[in-house]
C-alpha cells in the first residue's frame, strides 16, 4: 500500500532550495514562451533540456505555470465558498481526493500561478486507498457541509483502478452527514462531463479552461491546514 502518496526519495534533491531557484528561472522562460503562444509541453522540453531539469522538476513546472491569459480567464470564473450556499456542486473526484491525500501525507504540493494547489502523484490509472483516504474525504465533505451546499455530485473515472472501492468509502463517510444530497457516479470520461458544469471543484487545468465556473476547494483545505505549497515560478 502506498503510505506516502505523491512522494519519491529523489524529491529531497529535486526540490532543494538550490534546485527551486533554478526551477524559478526556468519557469520564467517557459512562462514567456506560453505568453508568446508556444505549447506548454514543447516549451517545457526545450527549457528543461537547457537547464538539465529532471522529469519530476519538469512536471512540477508544467503543473504550476500557465499563460497570463489562462490565469485571467480562470480567475474570472472562480467562485468563493460563500457562493455555494444552497447550490449544487460537481466534483472531479480523483483529482480532489488525491490532492487532499497528498496534503495529509505531508508530500509535495505546489502553489500554482492560477491559484490552485497541485501535486505530483501521477497515478496513471492505478489507485489504491491509503490510510489518509478517509481523512481526505472527510475534509472535503466537511468544507462542503460548512459551505451549505444542497447537493454534491462526485464523478470518478471508470478506467482508474479501485474507483468502486473509493465510491463505497465516500458513501459510507457521507452517511455521517445529512445536510446535503449526494450522488456518486463512475464515468468513462469525467473531464467532458464537467466541461459544461457550473461550480466545479477541480484543479485540472483543462477542466478549468472549459467549465462555466469553479471553486478552489483544495486551496481552502491547504489554508485551513496551515501549510503552504512550494512555488517554483
Amino acid at each position: 500500500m502506498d503510505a506516502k502518496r505523491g512522494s519519491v526519495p529523489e524529491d529531497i534533491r529535486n526540490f532543494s532550495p538550490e534546485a527551486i531557484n533554478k526551477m524559478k528561472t526556468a519557469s520564467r522562460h517557459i512562462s514567456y514562451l506560453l505568453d508568446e503562444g508556444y505549447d506548454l509541453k514543447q516549451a517545457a522540453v526545450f527549457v528543461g533540456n537547457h537547464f538539465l531539469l529532471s522529469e519530476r522538476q519538469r512536471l512540477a513546472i508544467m503543473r504550476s505555470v500557465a499563460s497570463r491569459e489562462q490565469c485571467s480567464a480562470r480567475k474570472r470564473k472562480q467562485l468563493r465558498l460563500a457562493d455555494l450556499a444552497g447550490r449544487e456542486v460537481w466534483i472531479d473526484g480523483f483529482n480532489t481526493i488525491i490532492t487532499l491525500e497528498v496534503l495529509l501525507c505531508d508530500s509535495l504540493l505546489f502553489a500554482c500561478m492560477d491559484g490552485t494547489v497541485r501535486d505530483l502523484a501521477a497515478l496513471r490509472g492505478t489507485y489504491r486507498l491509503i490510510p489518509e483516504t478517509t481523512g481526505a474525504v472527510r475534509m472535503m465533505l466537511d468544507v462542503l457541509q460548512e459551505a451549505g451546499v444542497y447537493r454534491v455530485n462526485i464523478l470518478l473515472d471508470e478506467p482508474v483502478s479501485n474507483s468502486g472501492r473509493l465510491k463505497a468509502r465516500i458513501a459510507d463517510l457521507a452517511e455521517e452527514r445529512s445536510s446535503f444530497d449526494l450522488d456518486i457516479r463512475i464515468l468513462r470520461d469525467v473531464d467532458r462531463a464537467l466541461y459544461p458544469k457550473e461550480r466545479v471543484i477541480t484543479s485540472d487545468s483543462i477542466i478549468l479552461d472549459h467549465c462555466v465556473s469553479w471553486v478552489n476547494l483544495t486551496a481552502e483545505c491547504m489554508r485551513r491546514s496551515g501549510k503552504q505549497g512550494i512555488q517554483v515560478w
Side-chain angles (χ1 to χ4, degrees):
M1 180 172 289
D2 184 2
K4 189 73 171 173
R5 181 82 79 206
S7 177
V8 299
E10 293 78 14
D11 284 345
I12 296 176
R13 179 181 71 254
N14 280 326
F15 301 102
S16 67
E18 296 79 8
I20 290 174
N21 284 336
K22 181 170 70 170
M23 292 174 67
K24 288 182 177 180
T25 301
S27 292
R28 287 195 293 271
H29 287 250
I30 293 175
S31 295
Y32 171 80
L33 292 175
L34 291 181
D35 288 335
E36 291 296 315
Y38 283 81
D39 175 76
L40 174 58
K41 290 183 179 180
Q42 293 178 345
V45 169
F46 177 75
V47 176
N49 289 344
H50 177 74
F51 285 94
L52 302 178
L53 299 180
S54 71
E55 289 301 316
R56 294 278 284 181
Q57 290 171 330
R58 297 179 196 210
L59 180 60
I61 291 176
M62 289 178 64
R63 293 191 173 180
S64 294
V65 302
S67 69
R68 293 179 184 177
E69 182 179 350
Q70 287 173 320
C71 289
S72 296
R74 293 171 191 174
K75 194 68 177 178
R76 287 194 299 269
K77 296 194 291 184
Q78 184 178 349
L79 303 176
R80 304 167 301 161
L81 281 172
D83 297 322
L84 301 183
R87 309 305 294 271
E88 179 178 33
V89 298
W90 296 83
I91 302 179
D92 185 358
F94 277 112
N95 175 277
T96 302
I97 291 170
I98 288 171
T99 301
L100 296 180
E101 289 174 342
V102 171
L103 172 62
L104 294 178
C105 283
D106 267 334
S107 296
L108 296 179
L109 286 172
F110 295 87
C112 304
M113 292 178 69
D114 59 8
T116 60
V117 174
R118 296 191 177 98
D119 57 72
L120 297 182
L123 301 182
R124 302 185 186 280
T126 301
Y127 174 85
R128 291 184 179 181
L129 277 69
I130 60 174
E132 288 76 15
T133 302
T134 294
V137 173
R138 281 182 173 149
M139 184 183 297
M140 177 182 71
L141 296 178
D142 285 345
V143 172
L144 295 172
Q145 183 169 264
E146 290 179 27
V149 301
Y150 96 89
R151 182 179 176 86
V152 175
N153 301 282
I154 301 177
L155 307 186
L156 301 174
D157 301 84
E158 181 182 344
V160 178
S161 58
N162 292 306
S163 54
R165 292 185 178 182
L166 181 57
K167 177 179 178 179
R169 179 68 59 85
I170 297 170
D172 288 342
L173 295 171
E175 289 183 357
E176 304 170 1
R177 298 158 179 80
S178 58
S179 62
F180 53 75
D181 296 331
L182 176 66
D183 182 36
I184 310 169
R185 305 180 204 172
I186 298 178
L187 303 178
R188 178 155 294 277
D189 194 342
V190 168
D191 287 15
R192 290 192 180 278
L194 292 173
Y195 286 173
K197 302 298 184 185
E198 299 180 57
R199 298 174 296 278
V200 174
I201 293 174
T202 187
S203 61
D204 185 293
S205 58
I206 297 177
I207 297 175
L208 294 181
D209 290 337
H210 283 84
C211 69
V212 178
S213 59
W214 66 287
V215 179
N216 202 349
L217 183 140
T218 49
E220 172 63 18
C221 291
M222 173 82 87
R223 185 190 67 79
R224 294 186 182 195
S225 72
K227 299 176 183 178
Q228 292 185 331
I230 298 173
Q231 183 173 317
V232 297
W233 48 277

